């Protein structure tokens, strides 16, 4: 300021000094002063002009963008939050939808008053009244309420008990508070996920929660199950809108523009049928009570499409209590799905695959007899009836036919069949049924399972009766689809269709054949034996010879008086310290049932781990029978589905997959209802049959070549174009026989290592 004053007064000081020296007249002094002032004004004006031009040019003062600052005075931009897609059953019944709940709070800031100076906060004198009110309405602990009210904060909440309040309850509390004369109580709205049927296939459907707990605008994210695996499809992306506002900040009509369009999440129609799912949940609750099992799981599949119609497990949770301490501390609780995220030794249900393989390869004579004790290296293999006696004597005849051995679930019989086949041939059939290979249904965390150890001949043989090999439930179900489709195996599906309402398009799943591991004749004969398991009074393991659990003697698995094709299983459980658990009932008990047996519409599988009550197969049959009966009743009665007439078929844009992991890309494609075909056993994709950027319809096959050695895939039902693509990649020569559009047989078996320039013969059908 001092320097500025000196600059301004400089002309006057110089004039005064000079006037004293020159002794000029006042008129002359005034002229000089005028000239000096004029020059100063010109200088100041030049400075102002320069500063003004500088501001216009750089558009910034002190790091603040002036244009943006000006816009905030008359423009406002808001986020338009995307709606998360709804999860439905196959017929349009909602299973998970966007909703709102509320969190209660109390205002304690005494500055909060209205225009008439009326209190909008909770007065200290009202603390006891508010404590009683919140305790009565929500059951919140009184000590917690008092602690929060006396915290000295401007606004407080009341723990988990004061959250997740439904709309109806919130409105009722507002009315009750007004009637009681309570002020200062308010509610914050939260975007949340609602499950109209909160305990439907909980581990399968999963949970979606706020990305940032406590922030209602953070959006929802799936944390497990389908909600997590399909999160990108369900989530969509937020948009932005800009509008002009008046001096009070109110939007001006007609000024709103969309600066970034919102993309709502897509709706997913699962393959589940809510009618069957509801039935299964009720039946499973009863099975838990009766068996006292540590863990139970059950799944029903459409045998002709591979669609999962119902699936559940125990212990489970509901969407309302997922985070509750009591839920998390349930004995043997897991939030993982036992359908695909748990691998285990399956036990005697594996004998269905062995028998079909032996019949297909003509390595068993069902009428031939064998002695039911086998010395295998340093292991003695006995059957269950010998193991149940103290001296190892047989309860049933010591010599039986292989057909009788299958019905009675003879381990020794299966051992002799594998010895006759040879472990290499048996291993090749396990690979044809794709054990050890995940289904890639699009769900995260899917387990691979494992084939028997090549270096352990005992494990290779024991895999014939389901020990020394691990599988997932969905792998078993995939293999059993070949029993219902003349030897053709189907890929399991969990999604029926995906609907994009923003552009009115849909993607629809179709039945997907992935191989033919065995012949129609082999599976038909195996199913006949499975009927015997249920109907043979002497040998059948699911035939009751005496009354049990209120059931009269006879076949246990029935639909409207008609028998099912059945195979039971008992599997030992590996111990964490090595070997197997030794308790009397330390087993996984299971059964697979197919109905009708000659041409199954449905496949049911259930297992119970370590029941605490005396074991009875009725624990499983009492779930299977009513569920399968209900399925038969409604199989031609589709529920009222949502209207799809205004939608058109959508397409999927193929990405660049080279250099990426084939498993990850397979799941990604499957989530978009594209059928991936992985070629080879490498860890990285080197080429893809459909170039990036190309749009394809749902169910299109995309072949993914991996690095490493060349192995022959199962080409059953491949098109000639796909065969030619494989021949190009592997440098093969192909000779075609027959006429038709798709491969029927191939001269080189699946899994065979191929040589460069090798000739293969393909029969078209």
């Amino acid at each position: 300021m001092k320097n500025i004053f000196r600059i301004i007064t400089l002309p006057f000081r110089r004039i005064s000094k000079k006037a004293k020296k020159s002794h000029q007249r006042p008129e002359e002094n005034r002229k000089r002063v005028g000239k000096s002032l004029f020059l100063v004004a010109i200088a100041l004006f030049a400075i102002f002009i320069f500063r003004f031009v500088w501001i216009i040019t750089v558009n910034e003062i002190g790091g603040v963008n002036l244009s943006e600052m000006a816009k905030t005075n008359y423009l406002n931009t808001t986020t338009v939050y995307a709606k998360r897609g709804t999860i439905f059953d196959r017929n349009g019944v909602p299973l998970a939808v966007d909703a709102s709940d509320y969190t209660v709070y109390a205002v304690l800031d005494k500055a909060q008053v209205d225009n008439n100076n009326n209190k909008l906060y909770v007065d200290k004198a009202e603390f006891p009244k508010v404590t009683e009110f919140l305790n009565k309405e929500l059951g919140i602990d009184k000590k917690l309420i008092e602690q929060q009210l006396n915290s000295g904060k401007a606004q407080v909440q009341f723990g988990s008990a004061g959250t997740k309040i439904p709309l109806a309850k919130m409105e009722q509390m507002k009315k009750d508070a007004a009637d009681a004369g309570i002020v200062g109580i308010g509610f914050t709205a939260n975007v949340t996920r609602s499950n109209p049927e909160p305990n439907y296939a909980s581990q399968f459907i999963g949970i979606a929660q706020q990305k940032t707990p406590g922030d209602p605008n953070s959006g929802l994210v799936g944390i497990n199950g389908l909600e997590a695996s399909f999160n990108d499809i369900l989530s969509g992306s937020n948009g932005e809108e800009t509008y002009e506002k008046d001096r009070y900040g109110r939007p001006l009509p007609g000024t709103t523009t969309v600066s970034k369009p919102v993309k709502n999440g897509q709706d997913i129609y699962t393959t589940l049928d809510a009618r069957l799912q509801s039935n299964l949940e009720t039946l499973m609750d009863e099975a838990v009570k009766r068996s006292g099992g540590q863990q139970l799981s059950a799944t029903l599949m459409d045998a002709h499409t591979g669609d999962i119609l119902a699936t559940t497990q125990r212990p489970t949770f509901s969407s309302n209590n997922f985070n509750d301490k009591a839920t998390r501390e349930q004995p043997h609780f897991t939030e993982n799905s036992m359908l695909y995220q748990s691998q285990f030794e399956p036990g005697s249900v594996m004998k269905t695959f062995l028998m079909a393989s032996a019949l297909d390869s003509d390595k068993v004579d069902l009428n031939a007899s064998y002695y039911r004790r086998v010395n295998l290296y340093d292991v003695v293999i006995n059957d269950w009836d010998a193991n149940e006696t103290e001296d190892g004597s047989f309860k049933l005849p010591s010599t039986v036919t292989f057909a009788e051995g299958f019905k009675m679930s003879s381990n020794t019989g299966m051992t002799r069949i594998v010895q006759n086949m040879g472990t290499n041939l048996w291993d090749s059939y396990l690979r044809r049924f794709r054990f050890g290979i995940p289904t890639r249904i699009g769900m995260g965390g899917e387990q691979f399972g494992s084939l028997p150890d090549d270096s352990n001949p005992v494990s290779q043989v024991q895999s014939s009766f389901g020990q020394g090999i691990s599988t997932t439930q969905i792998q078993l179900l995939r293999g059993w689809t070949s029993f219902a489709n003349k030897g053709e195996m189907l890929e399991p599906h969990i999604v029926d269709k995906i609907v994009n309402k923003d552009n009115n398009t849909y993607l629809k799943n179709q039945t997907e054949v992935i191989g033919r591991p065995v012949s129609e004749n082999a599976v038909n004969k195996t199913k006949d034996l499975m009927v015997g398991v249920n109907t043979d009074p002497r040998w059948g393991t699911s035939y009751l010879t005496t009354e049990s659990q209120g059931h009269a003697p006879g076949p246990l698995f029935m639909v409207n008086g008609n028998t099912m094709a059945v195979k039971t299983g008992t599997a030992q459980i590996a111990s964490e310290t090595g070997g197997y658990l030794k308790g009397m009932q330390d087993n996984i008990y299971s059964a697979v049932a197919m109905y009708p047996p000659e041409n199954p519409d449905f496949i049911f599988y259930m297992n119970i781990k370590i029941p605490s009550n005396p074991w009875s197969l009725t624990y499983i049959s009492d779930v299977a029978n009513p569920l399968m009966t209900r399925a038969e009743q409604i199989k031609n009665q589709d529920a009222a589905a949502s209207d799809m007439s205004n939608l058109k078929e959508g397409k999927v844009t193929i990405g660049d997959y080279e250099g990426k992991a084939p498993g990850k890309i397979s799941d990604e494609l499957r989530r978009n209802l594209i059928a991936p075909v992985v070629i080879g056993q490498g860890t990285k994709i080197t080429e893809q049959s459909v170039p990036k950027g190309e749009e394809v319809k749902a169910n299109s096959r995309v072949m993914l070549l991996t690095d490493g050695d060349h192995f022959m895939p199962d080409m059953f039902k491949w098109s000639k174009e796909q065969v030619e693509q494989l021949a190009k990649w592997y440098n093969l020569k192909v000779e075609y026989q027959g006429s038709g559009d798709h491969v029927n047989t191939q001269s080189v078996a699946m899994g065979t290592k191929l040589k460069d320039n090798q000739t293969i013969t393909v029969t078209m059908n």
Side-chain angles (χ1 to χ4, degrees):
M1 289 295 297
K2 185 177 180 180
N3 291 333
I4 294 175
F5 178 77
R6 288 180 60 81
I7 292 172
I8 294 174
T9 59
L10 176 63
F12 300 99
R13 287 186 284 109
R14 293 189 65 184
I15 292 171
S16 176
K17 184 177 181 180
K18 195 168 184 178
K20 290 179 181 179
K21 290 181 179 180
S22 60
H23 303 288
Q24 290 180 338
R25 291 178 300 170
E27 292 83 359
E28 292 176 338
N29 288 333
R30 283 194 291 270
K31 286 182 180 180
R32 287 182 175 275
V33 169
K35 289 179 181 180
S36 298
L37 290 176
F38 179 74
L39 292 174
V40 169
I42 292 295
L44 291 174
F45 185 72
I47 292 172
F48 290 141
I49 291 295
F50 175 78
R51 180 60 172 163
F52 185 68
V53 171
W54 175 263
I55 291 174
I56 293 176
T57 303
V58 301
N59 195 35
E60 188 177 286
I61 295 179
V64 177
N65 188 297
L66 298 178
S67 296
E68 295 298 323
M69 188 175 182
K71 286 180 181 179
T72 61
N73 291 326
Y74 66 90
L75 289 179
N76 192 46
T77 299
T78 60
T79 300
V80 181
Y81 294 99
K83 180 182 180 297
R84 190 173 179 84
T86 299
I87 299 175
F88 296 97
D89 86 330
R90 65 191 304 112
N91 297 310
V93 176
L95 303 179
V97 299
D98 273 3
S100 294
D101 63 21
Y102 298 85
T103 298
V104 66
Y105 64 86
V107 177
L108 304 177
D109 182 4
K110 294 183 179 180
Q112 300 300 314
V113 294
D114 63 15
N115 293 333
N116 297 320
N117 209 35
N118 294 318
K119 298 176 182 177
L120 298 178
Y121 60 89
V122 180
D123 191 86
K124 190 173 182 64
E126 297 291 310
F127 284 4
K129 190 175 183 179
V130 171
T131 299
E132 291 294 331
F133 175 79
L134 293 176
N135 175 260
K136 178 183 176 182
E137 293 281 349
L138 298 173
I140 305 175
D141 183 73
K142 289 184 178 180
K143 290 184 179 179
L144 173 62
I145 300 172
E146 293 170 353
Q147 179 183 354
Q148 291 296 91
L149 291 177
N150 288 286
S151 65
K153 298 178 181 178
Q155 183 172 303
V156 293
Q157 297 180 1
F158 303 95
S160 60
T163 63
K164 298 183 179 179
I165 303 170
L167 173 63
K169 179 65 176 177
M170 182 272 293
E171 292 177 339
Q172 182 62 47
M173 287 182 65
K174 278 187 173 181
K175 181 178 181 301
D176 293 344
D179 293 344
I182 295 175
V183 298
I185 296 294
F187 299 87
T188 301
N190 309 299
V191 177
T192 187
R193 197 69 161 164
S194 173
N195 299 78
E197 300 292 343
N199 66 335
Y200 268 30
S202 297
Q203 278 91 343
F204 176 78
I205 296 296
I207 295 290
Q209 296 181 340
Q210 290 176 355
K211 293 178 183 177
T212 305
D215 180 0
N217 295 323
S218 63
L220 298 170
V221 62
I223 61 173
N224 54 23
L226 189 143
E227 289 273 25
S229 297
F230 285 74
N231 189 68
D232 290 345
I233 292 173
L234 289 164
S235 292
S237 58
N238 295 337
E240 290 183 351
E241 287 183 352
T242 301
Y243 60 86
E244 294 182 19
K245 59 184 179 180
D246 62 17
R247 61 175 177 164
Y248 299 106
R250 296 173 299 197
L252 295 175
T255 64
T256 300
T257 58
V258 177
S259 51
K260 179 184 176 183
V262 63
K263 293 183 180 179
N264 291 312
Q266 301 179 61
D267 294 337
I268 293 178
Y269 289 74
T270 67
T271 58
L272 300 180
D273 189 310
R275 299 166 293 181
L276 298 174
Q277 187 67 42
S278 175
N279 198 0
L280 178 58
E281 299 290 356
T282 301
L283 293 167
M284 285 288 279
D285 286 339
E286 185 62 26
V288 172
K289 294 177 184 177
R290 293 182 59 213
S291 69
Q294 291 184 359
Q295 292 180 326
L296 294 81
S297 59
T299 300
L300 180 68
M301 171 185 272
D302 185 319
H304 297 307
T305 64
D307 291 348
I308 302 298
L309 299 175
T311 184
T312 195
Q313 66 192 64
R314 298 292 184 275
T316 188
F317 60 87
S318 77
S319 57
N320 299 325
N321 66 13
F322 174 70
N323 291 317
D324 291 353
K325 183 178 180 181
T327 297
R328 315 299 296 182
E329 293 182 353
Q330 291 180 89
H332 314 294
F333 172 79
T334 174
E335 66 181 76
N336 288 338
S337 170
M338 295 182 191
L339 175 65
Y340 61 92
Q341 290 180 307
S342 173
Q343 61 185 43
F344 57 98
E345 294 180 64
S348 293
V349 292
M350 279 298 294
K351 293 170 183 174
T352 56
F353 301 108
L354 174 73
M355 184 56 73
S357 302
L359 289 167
D360 183 68
S361 58
D362 199 25
K363 295 296 183 180
V364 63
D365 179 356
L366 295 176
N367 296 316
S369 298
Y370 66 94
Y371 178 68
R372 294 195 300 114
R373 183 168 285 133
V374 177
N375 293 316
L376 184 65
Y377 301 98
D378 58 344
V379 176
V380 177
I381 295 179
N382 281 318
D383 287 336
W384 57 267
D385 62 327
N387 290 329
E388 288 181 355
T389 61
E390 292 183 4
D391 59 357
S393 60
F394 297 103
K395 291 183 178 180
L396 294 171
S398 60
T399 301
V400 299
T401 66
F402 284 101
E404 294 165 343
F406 180 87
K407 296 173 189 177
M408 68 171 290
S409 201
S410 166
N411 289 349
T412 58
M414 302 307 108
T415 297
R416 293 188 182 277
I417 291 175
V418 170
Q419 288 177 324
N420 191 39
M421 291 178 67
T423 54
N424 288 339
L425 181 59
W426 169 228
D427 182 76
S428 73
Y429 274 100
L430 287 173
R431 296 179 188 278
R432 292 187 204 181
F433 280 110
R434 303 204 180 194
F435 288 109
I437 300 174
T439 61
R440 297 300 179 191
I441 54 175
M443 300 290 267
E446 183 178 358
Q447 295 294 303
F448 283 61
S450 62
L451 296 176
D453 185 356
D454 291 340
S455 63
N456 188 335
V458 175
S459 292
Q460 289 179 304
V461 172
Q462 288 180 329
S463 66
S464 66
F465 48 86
Q467 304 285 173
I469 181 174
S470 65
T471 70
T472 62
Q473 292 184 35
I474 202 162
Q475 286 176 353
L476 292 169
L477 289 163
R478 174 176 62 185
W480 284 321
T481 60
S482 62
F483 288 61
N485 297 284
K486 302 179 180 180
E488 296 182 10
M489 189 164 64
L490 309 181
E491 194 73 273
H493 286 158
I494 59 170
V495 173
D496 180 59
K497 56 181 171 282
I498 299 175
V499 175
N500 187 332
K501 290 184 177 178
D502 282 355
N503 57 21
N504 293 322
T505 61
Y506 70 91
L507 302 171
K508 181 76 168 68
N509 234 333
Q510 295 176 0
T511 303
E512 182 182 350
V513 178
I514 57 172
R516 186 173 59 187
V518 289
S519 66
E520 179 181 359
N521 182 57
V523 295
N524 286 342
K525 288 183 178 180
T526 305
K527 284 186 295 184
D528 289 342
L529 293 172
M530 293 173 68
V531 172
V533 170
N534 197 37
T535 60
D536 194 312
R538 186 176 191 188
W539 308 107
T541 55
S542 67
Y543 187 96
L544 277 183
T545 56
T546 59
E547 183 178 340
S548 175
Q549 298 283 330
H551 290 260
L556 268 181
F557 292 82
M558 304 288 286
V559 172
N560 297 323
N562 301 312
T563 187
M564 302 187 208
V566 177
K567 184 67 193 78
T568 60
T570 302
Q572 292 181 283
I573 302 172
S575 170
E576 293 181 357
T577 58
Y580 291 97
L581 299 179
K582 300 297 184 181
M584 181 66 71
Q585 294 194 158
D586 285 349
N587 302 310
I588 294 177
Y589 298 93
S590 63
V592 56
M594 303 179 188
Y595 186 83
E598 62 278 359
N599 184 26
D601 293 323
F602 304 102
I603 302 171
F604 173 82
Y605 174 75
M606 179 174 173
N607 64 30
I608 299 178
K609 181 178 180 180
I610 311 181
S612 59
N613 297 324
W615 171 246
S616 171
L617 192 58
T618 61
Y619 301 150
I620 294 180
S621 65
D622 283 352
V623 176
N625 293 351
L627 183 66
M628 298 277 261
T629 300
R630 178 63 173 151
E632 275 293 307
Q633 289 174 346
I634 67 173
K635 69 179 181 181
N636 295 319
Q637 302 173 15
D638 288 338
S642 57
D643 183 17
M644 306 284 288
S645 60
N646 63 329
L647 302 177
K648 60 182 183 293
E649 186 176 6
K651 290 187 176 182
V652 178
T653 302
I654 299 300
D656 183 1
Y657 307 132
E658 293 184 20
K660 298 179 181 178
K664 181 179 180 180
I665 297 303
S666 294
D667 276 333
E668 179 183 323
L669 290 170
R670 187 71 65 188
R671 285 191 284 270
N672 288 280
L673 308 194
I674 299 298
V677 180
V678 177
I679 308 298
Q681 301 175 7
T683 59
K684 289 184 178 181
I685 297 170
T686 58
E687 293 192 56
Q688 56 193 74
S689 62
V690 181
K692 64 177 180 180
E694 185 171 322
E695 292 185 337
V696 298
K697 294 182 178 180
N699 308 290
S700 297
R701 274 193 177 133
V702 175
M703 300 169 65
L704 305 170
L705 178 66
T706 64
D707 55 358
D709 294 332
H710 297 173
F711 291 92
M712 173 59 74
D714 187 339
M715 298 192 297
F716 183 69
K717 287 290 179 76
W718 280 23
S719 67
K720 187 174 182 180
E721 179 184 10
Q722 290 161 345
V723 175
E724 293 293 338
Q725 180 67 75
L726 177 71
K728 177 182 177 182
W729 281 344
Y730 278 2
N731 193 26
L732 303 174
K733 295 179 180 178
V734 183
E735 295 180 354
Y736 295 96
Q737 294 181 353
S739 60
D741 297 327
H742 296 92
V743 175
N744 187 40
T745 63
Q746 57 195 65
S747 61
V748 179
M750 172 189 172
T752 303
K753 191 173 181 179
L754 296 167
K755 299 177 182 178
D756 191 57
N757 208 33
Q758 184 173 341
T759 299
I760 61 172
T761 302
V762 173
T763 302
M764 306 298 288
N765 186 12

